[in-house]
Amino acid sequence: MAYRDDYRRSIEEPAAFWAEQAAALDWFTPPQTVLGRDDNGVDRWFVDGELNTCHLALDHHVAQGRGGQVAVYYDSPVAGAKRAITYADLQREVARFAGALAALGVNKGDRVLIYMPMVPEAVVAMLACARLGAIHSVVFGGFAAHELAVRIDDAQPVVVVSASCGIEVDRVIPYKPLLDAAIDAAAHKPAHTVVLQRPQAMADLQAGRDFDWSALTRDAEPAPCTPVLATDPLYILYTSGTTGRPKGVVRDNGGHAVAMHYSMKAIYDMNPGEVFWAASDVGWVVGHSYIVYAPLIAGLSTVLYEGKPVRTPDAGAFWRVVSEYRVKALFAAPTAFRAIRKEDPEGRCLADYDLSCLKTLFMAGERLDPPTYHWARDLLGVPVVDHWWQTETGWAICGNPMGIEPMPTKAGSATVPAPGFDVRILDGRGESLGPGEQGSVAIKLPLPPGCLPTVWGNFPRFRDGYLSTYAGYYVSGDGGYRDEDGYVFIMGRTDDVINVAGHRLSTGEMEEVLAGHPAVAECAVIGVHCALKGQKPLGLILLRDDADIDPKQLRDELVARVRQEIGAVASFKEVLVVPRLPKTRSGKILRKVLRQIADGEDYAVPSTIDDPASLPELARLLAERAAG
Ligand code: COA
Ligand code: AMP
C-alpha cells in the first residue's frame, strides 16, 4: 500500500507532499509558498525559496563530512584513463573553474554552452555554472557544427566550454574545428571559449578569444555559491521537436533539486554513499539528471563512463565497470543491451566478473522490448525496470518505485505513474479512455517539480506544443494505454519524432537537410524498425524530372549532408528513390502509413488520401528494400 498512499497524497495534496520532500534539502531560504503561478499562468514550485544547486551537490556534503567520499568515478577505456574524484576535490575544482568563468565575465543568468565529451571537466563545467547561477546548455558531442550554431544563436552564450576532441571507438574526433565553424556560422558571437586540451588531438587556440582550460584555471580565484531563486533557470537542454528548430527545454533550480533528490530514493532506491551508474552521456537529459545532479545531490558516488557497451574492448565492458566500482543500480538504454546481446548472446563475458553488488537494472530512452527485457533479467537475475520519461520532465513519469514499494513487473510496461504525475489516456476529444484503450498519454496539471516551465525564449512554443491540445493537460507526444491494474504501456510517438539508439531525432529536420540537395524534388524521412537501434531513419526521395544522378552518388551525397548538418548521431545511412509520395488531399505526406508499410505492419488507407494508386508501387519498393 505504500506506493498507493504516497501516490494518492501526491495527487490530492501536492503542496503538502512536495513541501515534505523539499524539507530534506539545505535551502538558503526555505520556501514559504510551495506552489505558485508565474506571469505566463504556469504552475511553479517553491517560488520564494532560495538555494544553489552546486551547494546542494557539493558544499553541503563536504560540510556534512562527506568530503573524503568519491563523488565521481571517471572510467575511460577509449582514453585509457581512470580517476576517482572525492567530493572535496570536486568542490575545489568546481569553485576554481567557476572563478575562471566569472573572470571571463560570466554572471548570474548568463548562458554558457558546453560542448564536451564524457570527461570529468564536463561535470565541473556544469556545476561551475550552477555555482555562479549561470545557465548551462550542454550540446551532445555527436552533433555537427550547424546544430551547435543553431543552439549558440538560440541560447546566446557568453562563453563556450569545449574540449580539443572526443574519442569514439575507432577514431578521434577533433571538436575545435566544429566549434570554430559553428561560431563562424552563428549570428551571435560568444566572447570567449575555454578549451580542455586532450593529448589525442590538441586544438589551435585563437589569441584573445580562446583560453586553455588548465592555464585559465590554475590561478583562478575560487568562487562562492551564488543564491538563486527556486524558479531561476539552472539549464537549457535542446531536444528535437517536429520542426527543424530544436526546443530549448528550461529546467529551474528548486523544483529540479527536489525532484532529483526525491527520485533517487523513490524510484532507484539509492542511499547516500552507494554507487549509481547511468550509462548515458552528459549531452542527454539522462546524463544531466542521473550522471550529474541527482546522484550528487543525494550524496552518492556516480560513474562517468567514456566508452560503449561493446567494442571498448568487448561485450563485457558494462560488467567490468559494475564490478569494479561496486555499482548498486545501473541505468542504460535497451539498445545498449541489444548490442551486448548481439555480440555475446550467451552472456559468456559475465563469467569474468562479480556482479553481486548489482541490485537493479533500469532501462529508458525507448520502450524496453520484451525480448530484451527477458534476456537481461535472465542473464543478471535482478529486477529489470523499464521507466518512461522525457527531456521535458527530467525524471521518470512512470516507473517501478523501487524505493517506496517494488511492484511486480510486466514485460512491455513502464509500470505505474511516479508520485506527482497524474497520467491520463485521452481520446481525440480529450475524454479519458478506459483500460486497454489506446490514446494520447497526457499529464493532468500541475506537473510535479522538475518539469519544464517553458521553452527558452519562446513561451508560445511551450503553450502551443504542450498545453493547448487539451485544456488542463500536458501532452507527452507519446501514445499508449493502461491495463486493468493501472500499469502504463507506452507504445511510441504520435508525432514525427523518432528514436534511434535511445536518441530522440526529428524527421522534419532531416527532411529539411535532404530537401536542400539540388536533385531532390520532395522527400520524407520515416523511422523504420532496426533490430539494434530500435529505429533508424530511411529517406524516401522523389527526384526532380531533370535530375541526372547515379543512385549511389545520390545516397552518398545525402548521407554526407545529414552527417554534415545534423551529425553522425542521426545514423542516417539509407535512401530509397520513389516515384511518388502518398499524401492527403491537403498535401500532408502519409508518413505513418509509409512506416507501417516499411515495417510490414497492417495499415489502413486514410479516406483523405489524394492518390491511392501510389501505394501498391511504394509497398513493392519497400518490400524489396526489406528483403535486402
Ligand atoms: N561524438 C561524436 N560522434 C559520436 C558520438 C559522440 N559523442 N556519439 C556517437 N557518435 C557517432 C558514432 O561514432 C557513430 O558514427 P558512425 O556512423 O561513423 O559509426 C554515430 O554517431 C552513431 O552512433 P551510435 O548511435 O552510438 O551508434 P554505434 O553504432 O556507434 O553504437 C550502440 C551502437 C548501440 C552501441 C550505441 O548506440 C549505444 O551505446 N547506445 C546507447 C545509447 C544511450 O546511452 N542513450 C542514452 C539514452 S538513456
Ligand atoms: P528524450 O526526451 O530524448 O528522453 O526522449 C523521450 C522520448 O523517448 C519519449 O517521449 C518516448 O517516446 C521515448 N521513451 C523514453 N523512455 C521510454 C520508455 N521507457 N518507454 C517508451 N518510450 C520511451
Side-chain angles (χ1 to χ4, degrees):
M1 290 307 282
Y3 161 73
R4 279 185 208 297
D5 288 347
D6 278 16
Y7 183 74
R8 189 188 42 74
R9 271 200 72 219
S10 77
I11 301 300
E12 291 174 6
E13 304 162 51
F17 181 85
W18 289 111
E20 271 169 35
Q21 312 314 328
L25 297 184
D26 187 21
W27 297 80
F28 293 157
T29 310
Q32 301 302 312
T33 307
V34 177
L35 185 54
R37 281 253 157 97
D38 65 16
D39 294 344
N40 293 322
V42 172
D43 301 301
R44 302 299 302 266
W45 293 95
F46 317 116
V47 284
D48 49 5
E50 275 193 315
L51 76 167
N52 180 285
T53 298
C54 180
H55 169 84
L56 297 179
L58 299 177
D59 301 56
H60 170 72
H61 297 307
V62 173
Q64 298 294 306
R66 206 171 275 288
Q69 182 194 310
V70 172
V72 177
Y73 286 108
Y74 166 58
D75 187 300
S76 174
V78 289
K82 288 181 189 180
R83 240 182 107 190
I85 308 165
T86 64
Y87 272 93
D89 286 345
L90 191 58
Q91 183 201 30
R92 267 192 296 275
E93 279 190 43
V94 167
R96 270 218 313 275
F97 191 65
L101 286 177
L104 291 180
V106 175
N107 289 307
K108 179 174 168 177
D110 287 342
R111 274 77 60 212
V112 173
L113 197 126
I114 301 174
Y115 183 57
M116 294 185 96
M118 285 283 285
V119 289
E121 288 79 0
V123 179
V124 170
M126 291 165 78
L127 290 167
C129 292
R131 196 169 187 87
L132 296 175
I135 303 165
H136 63 68
S137 186
V138 184
V139 179
F140 178 63
F143 282 120
H146 169 75
E147 290 289 315
L148 199 50
V150 169
R151 287 155 174 77
I152 289 174
D153 275 339
D154 199 73
Q156 310 225 324
V158 177
V159 169
V160 178
V161 184
S162 190
S164 57
C165 66
I167 311 170
E168 280 294 285
V169 180
D170 48 0
R171 63 193 193 280
V172 169
I173 299 171
Y175 276 22
K176 189 61 183 359
L178 299 172
L179 178 55
D180 288 340
I183 295 176
D184 280 351
H188 171 82
K189 306 292 176 200
H192 296 291
T193 79
V194 182
V195 179
L196 174 77
Q197 294 283 18
R198 304 186 83 190
Q200 292 80 3
M202 302 287 276
D204 291 335
L205 302 183
Q206 190 180 308
R209 190 194 73 180
D210 303 334
F211 290 91
D212 172 77
W213 173 294
S214 307
L216 188 73
T217 326
R218 202 171 303 129
D219 305 318
E221 196 59 39
C225 290
T226 302
V228 297
L229 277 174
T231 50
D232 283 337
L234 170 67
Y235 68 76
I236 307 164
L237 180 57
Y238 288 88
T239 188
S240 300
T242 46
T243 68
R245 252 188 88 205
K247 287 185 274 211
V249 167
V250 174
R251 192 84 60 217
D252 67 12
N253 274 275
H256 172 255
V258 172
M260 292 298 95
H261 185 264
Y262 173 73
S263 62
M264 210 69 262
K265 177 66 190 166
I267 308 285
Y268 301 98
D269 194 25
M270 295 297 298
N271 302 301
E274 295 176 336
V275 184
F276 189 77
W277 177 24
S280 180
D281 188 289
V282 289
W284 305 116
V285 66
V286 174
H288 280 65
S289 293
Y290 294 107
I291 295 175
V292 183
Y293 286 112
L296 296 180
I297 291 172
L300 313 178
S301 304
T302 182
V303 179
L304 183 78
Y305 175 69
E306 188 183 23
K308 299 263 177 180
V310 292
R311 296 181 289 150
T312 55
D314 57 28
F318 272 22
W319 321 141
R320 175 189 65 80
V321 173
V322 168
S323 75
E324 194 165 328
Y325 303 108
R326 309 311 295 157
V327 170
K328 180 184 174 192
L330 166 61
F331 177 166
T335 186
F337 271 72
R338 289 197 295 269
I340 297 171
R341 184 184 180 188
K342 194 165 163 237
E343 298 216 350
D344 182 21
E346 312 293 330
R348 288 188 209 284
C349 292
L350 200 59
D352 301 337
Y353 303 102
D354 167 17
L355 259 61
S356 55
C357 52
L358 186 70
K359 299 298 173 220
T360 319
L361 171 63
F362 293 89
M363 299 273 215
E366 56 178 309
R367 178 168 182 255
L368 174 56
D369 52 297
T372 307
Y373 166 79
H374 289 298
W375 185 78
R377 201 195 51 181
D378 295 348
L379 185 74
L380 297 174
V382 298
V384 176
V385 172
D386 183 13
H387 59 326
W388 167 60
W389 52 300
Q390 316 182 300
T391 305
E392 288 84 343
T393 62
W395 62 293
I397 309 164
C398 289
N400 198 333
M402 298 302 283
I404 305 175
E405 178 190 2
M407 319 277 283
T409 47
K410 294 190 188 187
S413 169
T415 321
V416 290
F421 288 99
D422 190 351
V423 175
R424 307 287 179 96
I425 311 293
L426 304 180
D427 68 12
R429 288 170 300 133
E431 302 292 333
S432 281
L433 290 166
E437 292 182 307
Q438 194 157 322
S440 165
V441 188
I443 303 163
K444 191 163 186 299
L445 300 177
L447 292 170
C451 300
L452 83 171
T454 188
V455 167
W456 178 252
N458 198 345
F459 176 71
R461 197 166 177 199
F462 176 55
R463 183 192 58 211
D464 300 345
Y466 298 94
L467 304 179
S468 299
T469 314
Y470 309 114
Y473 292 88
Y474 163 93
V475 285
S476 67
D478 282 299
Y481 65 93
R482 283 176 105 143
D483 72 6
E484 49 299 330
D485 299 325
Y487 278 55
V488 180
F489 291 73
I490 301 298
M491 304 309 289
R493 301 286 305 189
T494 54
D495 54 17
D496 295 327
V497 167
I498 60 171
N499 199 308
V500 182
H503 307 319
R504 175 168 159 185
L505 299 165
S506 159
T507 54
E509 192 172 6
M510 289 186 227
E511 287 171 7
E512 279 181 24
V513 174
L514 300 182
H517 189 285
V520 174
E522 243 187 305
C523 63
V525 174
I526 54 172
V528 294
H529 176 73
C530 170
L532 176 65
K533 298 192 176 183
Q535 284 188 310
K536 62 182 174 186
L538 166 67
L540 303 175
I541 307 292
L542 196 69
L543 287 175
R544 286 170 56 126
D545 290 344
D546 58 354
D548 179 20
I549 185 166
D550 164 65
K552 165 135 188 355
Q553 188 191 341
L554 175 74
R555 181 247 168 221
D556 290 351
E557 288 179 10
L558 292 176
V559 167
R561 259 174 190 260
V562 175
R563 236 181 138 83
Q564 180 72 24
E565 293 285 302
I566 298 176
V569 68
S571 295
F572 182 85
K573 305 215 161 141
E574 217 187 327
V575 164
L576 188 68
V577 175
V578 296
R580 269 179 291 193
L581 285 168
K583 291 187 187 159
T584 60
R585 281 192 279 281
S586 59
K588 194 173 173 312
I589 296 173
L590 294 165
R591 290 181 182 75
K592 185 174 169 200
V593 173
L594 286 168
R595 186 195 60 71
Q596 287 170 320
I597 298 176
D599 286 348
E601 292 174 9
D602 293 338
Y603 62 94
V605 181
S607 56
T608 51
I609 190 167
D610 185 39
D611 183 10
S614 62
L615 285 183
E617 171 69 353
L618 267 169
R620 189 185 60 75
L621 284 170
L622 287 166
E624 269 175 27
R625 171 206 157 264

